[in-house]
């Protein structure tokens, strides 16, 4: 075992690099032998002719019109006058001698019996071995070791041609070497004459069959293998030692003719059958490989293809010499051989330099390989401009976002159109069902107080307050829904700030009642939501319909420390809540004043204002710790049907809810009674918040009030309010759901 130096290692690595991706087609040569003496004696005609170095022609004028091809082109064609030396030099030499460079190679001879396979292979083997020895002589710097082995496959039985007995050899699968022949003798060659000696032993051992075609033709396959290992003498025995190791196979196949054609009988026929299996499998493998490496290749179907698998599309350079008899009588077989040759020239192999390295050399080689791959990764080629790729993707995203915005706009537009249409349909529906109302079709059309969330002039002063339009009469649910739906058009974003911050745009204090004067006399008013008023204001009509009789009722309560009081009541009696099967939750014994006129209502409002509990905190002296709900109920009927059987009345209430301050008890620096009040206010606000949270489908505000733990209360309040605010902000709780939940909370 020798070694190669640094320089040499690089040289072999380069070779390996080249060979790694180096695929090449199998070299296919055709050799036409002269007419044999027997053929000449039978006056056989030679129909084949090599017209140049690559093309062989069929010259029979009788068969020219058969539709079969007459000219075949290969890597090289050799006529009867060509010597084996010439075939070797011009054809197989380069491939055969690859073995000295560490590349496996195989030379096949394929053809019918007596076409010249053995004649050719014997010559090729001899010339190759001669050249190998010549090469060794010229490369004294390297130490060579040559080993020889030979097998015969006969009836699918593998025999050692150098063995002393006829023992049948088994094939084994070696994880590194692939298929190997168990217990096969491998002779290390002393010199050229030693090899010749061994070759003659093989020839003697080879099973020679007799057929009517050729007395000396063989029905067995013969594989001679010469393995060459070489190392640089300089590094011999040192750590850096690497060895090149490769084999060249000389394969003399059995006759390719069919058993029937060979007129075989008895034992001959059985042999023919077995020969066929190896040859048939070889044909199948070549055919399959010639169509590309797709799917399973049945190398394991015969001993021959198993042993020669690397030479068939694997790690080897391969040449096939197809031998032909020129005789007209063998034309069919000759065509079959050329068909095989045509397939074979499409098969690709991938030969590599086989380097056997010492452990240290292997580590060094792998380190270099890692470094090379790292460099490759760090310097991406122009094809991998990731920055440009990212920019392209960004542009695509931008474009898609733009499209999305456009589509959203279109969708919203379509949605609002649908809503308008539905509203129209509902109005028609209502008027169709109610005789009395059909009379007032014009009113239905014009008056949008249910539809458009409008209120009468009497409520004009209550801008900045939420509406709850509850139409009590059956069949008017639609109108209520419509009302709620329209509320949805109010801001989604006013969120926690406007609702809980106690700013002027929120459900804020009753002292602003005075502002009602601002709107008096106007036919329109604005429902402000804290956003651009142009977007959300709705033009509404006040009730100015003399054809209808209106009754307005007013009531007012205060919730303070979870105690409900009547703001119009004469005393401070605590009112109870009752559950009415029809009306839902009602306040027991609550005074409800029927309004005479606008000034009457103003009078009542000032009473309420005076009555309301005002708390004092350090934050705001006049801030309120109580909730106030003012309710205006409006009933209307058509005068025409008044007192008659068909009489129906529209009845709805509008609530104006002024909630207590939402600040934390701790922040308000409350002490004593204030703190207790804070606690109760918290309960109402917390419940309101919880209600929202539940509606929004978010986490439950289970952090309920802990009784008797003041500080903790503050903590809970804060958390609830924060949760409420966050949920509203995050889920963009619509005004619609706010009003709906408020209605549930307050009307329930
Ligand atoms: P195969 O091995 O294909 O059965 P052989 O190699 O045994 O055929 O050849 C059959 C006969 O033809 C042999 O006598 C051989 O000497 C002769 N022969 C084959 N090829 C040539 C050739 N190119 N030139 C002269 N004689 C040849
Ligand atoms: Mg032969």
């Amino acid at each position: 075992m020798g070694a190669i130096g640094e320089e040499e290692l690089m040289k072999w690595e380069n070779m390996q690099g080249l060979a790694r991706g180096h695929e090449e087609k199998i070299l296919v040569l055709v050799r036409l032998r002269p007419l044999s003496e027997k053929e000449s004696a039978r006056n056989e005609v030679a129909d084949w002719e090599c017209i140049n170095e690559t093309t062989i022609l069929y010259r029979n004028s009788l068969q020219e019109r058969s539709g079969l091809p007459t000219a075949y082109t290969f890597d090289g064609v050799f006529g009867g006058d060509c010597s084996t030396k010439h075939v070797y030099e011009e054809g197989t030499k380069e491939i055969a001698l690859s073995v000295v460079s560490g590349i496996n190679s195989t030379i096949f001879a394929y053809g019918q019996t007596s076409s010249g396979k053995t004649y050719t292979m014997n010559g090729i083997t001899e010339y190759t071995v001669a050249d190998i020895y010549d090469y060794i002589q010229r490369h004294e710097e390297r130490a060579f070791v040559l080993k020889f082995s030979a097998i015969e496959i006969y009836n699918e039985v593998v025999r050692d041609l150098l063995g002393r007995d006829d023992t049948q050899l088994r094939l084994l699968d070696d994880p590194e070497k692939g298929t190997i022949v168990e217990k096969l003798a491998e002779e290390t060659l002393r010199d050229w004459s030693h090899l010749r000696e061994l070759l003659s032993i093989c020839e003697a051992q080879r099973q020679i069959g007799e057929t009517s075609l050729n007395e000396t033709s063989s029905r067995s396959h013969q594989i001679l293998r010469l393995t060459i290992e070489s190392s640089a003498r300089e590094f011999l025995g040192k750590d850096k030692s690497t060895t090149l190791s490769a084999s060249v196979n000389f394969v003399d196949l059995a006759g390719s003719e069919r058993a029937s054609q060979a007129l075989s009988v008895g034992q001959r026929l059985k042999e023919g059958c077995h020969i066929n299996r190896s040859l048939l499998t070889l044909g199948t493998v070549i055919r399959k490989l010639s169509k590309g490496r797709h799917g399973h290749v049945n190398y394991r179907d015969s001993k021959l293809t198993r042993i020669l698998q690397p030479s068939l599309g694997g790690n080897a350079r391969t040449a096939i010499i197809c031998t032909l008899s020129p005789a007209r009588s063998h034309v069919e077989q000759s065509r079959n051989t050329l068909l095989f040759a045509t397939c074979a020239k499409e098969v690709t192999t991938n030969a590599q330099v086989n380097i056997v390295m010492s452990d240290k050399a292997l580590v060094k080689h792998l380190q270099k390989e890692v470094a090379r791959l790292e460099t490759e990764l760090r310097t991406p080629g122009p094809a991998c401009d990731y920055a440009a790729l990212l920019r392209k993707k960004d542009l695509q995203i931008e474009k898609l976002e733009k499209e999305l915005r456009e589509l959203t706009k279109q969708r919203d537009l379509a949605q609002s159109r649908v809503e308008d249409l539905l509203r129209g349909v509902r109005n028609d529906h209502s008027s169709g069902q109610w005789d009395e109302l059909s009379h007032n079709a014009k009113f239905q059309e014009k008056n949008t107080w249910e539809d458009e969330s409008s209120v009468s002039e009497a409520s004009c002063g209550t801008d900045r307050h939420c509406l709850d339009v509850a139409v009590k009469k059956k069949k008017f649910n639609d109108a209520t829904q419509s009302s709620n739906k329209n509320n949805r058009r109010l801001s989604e974003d006013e969120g926690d700030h406007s609702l809980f911050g106690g700013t002027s745009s929120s459900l804020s204090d009753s002292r602003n009642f005075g502002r009602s004067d601002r709107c008096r006399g106007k036919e329109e008013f604005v429902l402000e939501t804290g956003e651009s008023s142009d977007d959300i204001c709705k033009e509404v009509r006040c009730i100015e319909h003399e054809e209808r009789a209106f009754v307005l009722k007013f009531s007012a309560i205060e919730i303070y420390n979870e105690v409900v009081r009547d703001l119009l009541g004469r005393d401070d009696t605590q009112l109870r809540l009752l559950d009415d099967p029809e009306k839902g939750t009602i306040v027991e014994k609550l005074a409800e004043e029927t309004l005479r006129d606008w000034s009457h209502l103003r009078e009542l409002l000032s009473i309420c204002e005076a009555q309301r509990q005002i708390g004092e905190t350090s934050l705001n002296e006049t801030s309120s710790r109580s909730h106030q709900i003012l309710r205006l109920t409006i009933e209307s009927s058509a005068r025409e049907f008044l007192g008659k059987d068909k009489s129906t009345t529209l009845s709805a209430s509008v609530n104006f809810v002024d909630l207590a301050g939402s600040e934390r008890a701790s922040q308000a620096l409350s002490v004593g009674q204030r703190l207790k009040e804070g606690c109760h206010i918290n309960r109402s606000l917390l419940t309101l918040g919880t209600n929202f949270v539940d509606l929004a489908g978010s986490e439950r505000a289970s952090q309920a009030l802990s009784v008797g733990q003041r500080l903790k209360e503050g903590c809970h309040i804060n958390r609830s309010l924060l949760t409420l605010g966050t949920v509203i902000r995050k889920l963009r709780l619509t005004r619609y759901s706010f009003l709906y939940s408020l209605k549930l909370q307050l009307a329930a």
Side-chain angles (χ1 to χ4, degrees):
M1 177 88 46
I4 54 175
E6 188 88 358
E7 235 174 74
E8 197 163 14
L9 182 65
M10 277 170 65
K11 184 182 146 198
W12 293 124
E13 279 170 353
N14 288 340
M15 278 183 69
Q16 196 183 32
L18 281 173
R20 190 184 291 125
H22 182 68
E23 292 197 336
E24 66 174 4
K25 294 271 174 71
I26 287 181
L27 182 90
V28 179
L29 309 169
V30 169
R31 188 182 195 196
L32 188 65
R33 68 159 167 78
L35 283 170
S36 68
E37 283 180 11
K38 277 190 181 173
E39 285 164 347
S40 298
R42 289 202 301 267
N43 291 323
E44 288 264 12
V45 181
D47 279 339
W48 297 90
E49 188 190 340
C50 296
I51 55 165
N52 56 35
E53 287 178 354
T54 56
T55 306
I56 184 168
L57 203 65
Y58 186 65
R59 282 220 179 271
N60 188 341
S61 55
L62 291 174
Q63 286 209 4
E64 261 168 21
R65 276 165 272 135
S66 66
L68 292 166
T70 53
Y72 298 82
T73 302
F74 300 98
D75 296 305
V77 295
F78 303 91
D81 53 345
C82 284
S83 66
T84 305
K85 175 87 175 165
H86 183 71
V87 175
Y88 167 73
E89 293 284 349
E90 300 300 314
T92 61
K93 181 176 176 176
E94 194 213 330
I95 286 177
L97 289 184
S98 300
V99 73
V100 295
S101 306
I103 295 169
N104 294 324
S105 60
T106 299
I107 315 294
F108 283 95
Y110 182 98
Q112 72 172 122
T113 298
S114 87
S115 60
K117 298 182 297 294
T118 305
Y119 180 88
T120 304
M121 281 317 294
N122 283 347
I124 298 289
T125 306
E126 194 169 328
Y127 294 125
T128 305
V129 172
D131 273 351
I132 286 170
Y133 272 101
D134 180 57
Y135 181 89
I136 290 170
Q137 268 184 357
R138 286 189 287 112
H139 291 81
E140 287 185 343
E141 77 281 1
R142 293 187 71 80
F144 289 88
V145 177
L146 273 69
K147 292 171 187 169
F148 181 78
S149 64
I151 57 164
E152 180 194 56
I153 304 170
Y154 179 76
N155 269 6
E156 287 302 280
V157 169
V158 179
R159 284 200 321 129
D160 188 347
L161 287 175
L162 299 178
R164 305 274 172 267
D165 50 23
D166 260 6
T167 318
Q168 180 173 341
L169 301 182
R170 291 195 307 159
L171 298 188
L172 298 178
D173 289 318
D174 186 276
E176 270 185 27
K177 297 175 185 171
T179 300
I180 55 165
V181 183
E182 192 190 31
K183 294 178 184 166
L184 180 66
E186 195 176 42
E187 295 276 341
T188 301
L189 299 179
R190 290 188 300 274
D191 49 28
W192 177 213
S193 62
H194 184 198
L195 179 61
R196 278 204 224 201
E197 211 176 279
L198 296 172
L199 286 174
S200 55
I201 295 171
C202 291
E203 205 167 340
Q205 287 255 5
R206 198 173 177 193
Q207 294 270 355
I208 307 291
E210 277 185 16
T211 70
S212 62
L213 276 177
N214 185 335
E215 284 185 1
T216 56
S217 77
S218 170
R219 312 290 295 180
S220 70
H221 310 284
Q222 176 186 264
I223 304 172
L224 308 181
R225 177 171 291 177
L226 190 65
T227 301
I228 301 172
E229 292 171 358
S230 75
S231 318
R233 289 186 195 278
E234 193 188 345
F235 298 97
L236 220 60
K238 293 185 184 162
D239 281 338
K240 284 192 280 183
S241 149
T242 56
T243 304
L244 295 177
S245 176
S247 298
V248 54
N249 297 304
F250 302 99
V251 186
D252 185 3
L253 293 171
S256 59
E257 66 279 347
R258 287 175 300 160
S260 60
Q261 200 186 22
L263 302 176
S264 309
V265 285
Q267 180 63 11
R268 287 281 81 78
L269 196 57
K270 198 182 160 210
E271 283 169 21
C273 165
H274 284 296
I275 289 159
N276 287 351
R277 191 194 293 177
S278 270
L279 278 174
L280 279 173
T281 308
L282 178 67
T284 313
V285 166
I286 291 285
R287 234 188 346 269
K288 189 129 196 185
L289 289 171
S290 71
K291 289 170 188 158
R293 246 168 259 258
H294 310 299
H296 172 71
V297 181
N298 54 327
Y299 293 108
R300 296 184 74 85
D301 283 5
S302 81
K303 297 265 166 68
L304 179 80
T305 49
R306 256 183 92 181
I307 292 166
L308 293 175
Q309 180 173 344
S311 308
L312 302 165
N315 177 22
R317 299 189 71 192
T318 302
I320 298 179
I321 305 168
C322 292
T323 53
L324 293 184
S325 158
R328 182 170 293 174
S329 58
H330 298 313
V331 65
E332 199 186 331
Q333 281 305 311
S334 297
R335 282 199 187 276
N336 285 342
T337 299
L338 292 175
L339 206 65
F340 175 87
T342 306
C343 269
K345 70 179 185 179
E346 298 305 323
V347 177
T348 307
T349 61
N350 192 349
Q352 296 176 14
V353 176
N354 301 294
I355 303 174
V356 183
M357 288 191 197
S358 68
D359 289 349
K360 280 196 177 176
L362 187 66
V363 168
K364 204 169 181 181
H365 168 75
L366 289 175
Q367 280 171 342
K368 275 188 180 177
E369 191 67 4
V370 167
R372 185 184 66 80
L373 290 170
E374 277 178 353
T375 320
E376 220 168 74
L377 272 177
R378 266 189 238 110
T379 51
C384 305
D385 192 349
Y386 297 117
L389 215 66
L390 273 177
R391 272 198 300 279
K392 204 174 150 193
K393 292 284 170 204
D394 281 347
L395 281 174
Q396 271 179 354
I397 290 169
E398 221 169 84
K399 199 179 152 201
L400 287 170
E401 276 174 351
K402 206 172 158 191
E403 277 175 26
L404 186 70
R405 277 198 295 276
E406 186 55 39
L407 287 169
T408 309
K409 243 188 233 173
Q410 286 177 16
R411 186 205 61 192
D412 290 346
L413 197 71
Q415 222 164 31
S416 79
R417 275 185 195 151
V418 167
E419 276 169 20
D420 287 348
L421 282 169
L422 280 174
R423 218 174 293 132
V425 167
R426 262 188 227 111
N427 286 345
D428 291 349
H429 181 68
S430 302
S431 52
Q433 287 218 350
W434 297 83
D435 292 349
E436 180 200 347
L437 294 178
S438 67
H439 166 79
N440 284 325
K442 196 180 160 199
F443 166 76
Q444 286 284 336
E445 187 193 336
K446 277 169 66 188
N447 187 336
T448 55
W449 85 289
E450 293 101 352
D451 290 351
E452 304 291 337
S453 301
S454 67
V455 290
S456 72
E457 191 183 33
S459 62
C460 281
T462 61
D463 62 318
R464 300 163 190 270
H465 287 251
C466 296
L467 290 181
D468 178 19
V469 181
V471 181
K472 287 178 183 171
K473 285 288 178 187
K474 62 174 181 172
K475 301 283 183 185
F476 274 79
N477 290 336
D478 283 355
T480 311
Q481 279 166 15
S482 168
S483 167
N484 287 330
K485 215 174 269 173
N486 283 305
N487 284 329
R488 192 175 46 192
R489 292 184 59 176
L490 302 173
S491 164
E492 293 181 3
D493 286 325
E494 52 191 312
D496 50 341
H497 172 71
S498 57
L499 289 176
F500 301 103
T503 62
S504 61
S505 63
S506 72
L507 315 163
S508 66
D509 45 61
S510 57
R511 288 171 295 111
N512 287 338
F513 248 68
R515 289 193 217 154
S516 59
D517 290 341
R518 261 187 344 184
C519 292
R520 222 168 351 145
K522 287 183 188 173
E523 286 201 351
E524 308 171 331
F525 80 100
V526 165
L527 270 172
E528 190 182 341
T529 63
E531 277 198 353
S532 159
S533 56
D534 290 344
D535 292 338
I536 51 173
C537 282
K538 296 196 71 66
E539 187 179 327
V540 294
R541 287 170 186 277
C542 292
I543 301 170
E544 286 184 338
H545 296 274
E546 288 182 358
E547 71 271 39
R548 292 188 72 79
F550 289 90
V551 178
L552 273 70
K553 290 172 188 169
F554 180 77
S555 64
I557 58 163
E558 181 197 49
I559 305 171
Y560 178 72
N561 270 6
E562 288 300 301
V563 168
V564 179
R565 285 199 322 126
D566 189 346
L567 286 174
L568 300 178
R570 302 280 168 264
D571 51 22
D572 262 1
T573 320
Q574 179 174 341
L575 301 184
R576 291 195 306 158
L577 298 185
L578 296 180
D579 289 318
D580 186 272
E582 264 189 43
K583 296 175 184 169
T585 299
I586 55 165
V587 183
E588 194 191 25
K589 293 179 186 167
L590 180 66
E592 197 179 40
E593 293 276 347
T594 302
L595 298 177
R596 291 188 300 277
D597 52 25
W598 172 222
S599 60
H600 184 201
L601 178 62
R602 280 219 268 173
E603 204 177 298
L604 295 174
L605 287 173
S606 53
I607 293 172
C608 292
E609 204 172 354
Q611 287 256 3
R612 195 169 175 198
Q613 294 273 355
I614 305 293
E616 274 186 24
T617 72
S618 62
L619 279 179
N620 187 337
E621 284 189 358
T622 55
S623 77
S624 171
R625 311 290 296 181
S626 68
H627 311 285
Q628 177 187 261
I629 306 173
L630 307 182
R631 179 171 292 177
L632 189 66
T633 303
I634 303 170
E635 292 170 356
S636 74
S637 321
R639 289 186 198 279
E640 192 187 349
F641 295 98
L642 219 58
K644 294 182 183 168
D645 280 343
K646 283 196 275 182
S647 157
T648 57
T649 304
L650 296 177
S651 175
S653 295
V654 52
N655 296 306
F656 305 103
V657 186
D658 184 4
L659 292 173
S662 58
E663 66 278 4
R664 290 178 299 161
S666 60
Q667 199 185 22
L669 302 175
S670 307
V671 286
Q673 179 63 10
R674 283 285 77 79
L675 195 58
K676 199 183 163 213
E677 284 169 21
C679 162
H680 283 295
I681 288 161
N682 290 347
R683 191 189 295 175
S684 272
L685 280 173
L686 274 171
T687 312
L688 183 62
T690 310
N691 199 280
F692 274 123
V693 172
D694 285 346
L695 271 174
S698 182
E699 73 276 14
R700 294 179 59 80
S702 56
Q703 53 270 53
L705 209 62
S706 307
V707 180
Q709 290 178 30
R710 294 292 142 75
L711 267 169
K712 247 192 170 177
E713 282 165 22
C715 160
H716 281 299
I717 293 158
N718 192 26
R719 195 186 296 175
S720 266
L721 286 172
L722 278 174
T723 307
L724 179 58
T726 311
V727 166
I728 289 174
R729 210 171 27 245
K730 277 192 175 172
L731 299 178
R732 294 178 162 261
L733 193 66
T734 61
R735 184 62 170 255
Y736 167 71
S737 48
F738 169 65
L739 288 171
Y740 185 63
S741 54
L742 198 62
K743 183 185 149 196
L744 283 180
Q745 182 64 28
L746 299 174

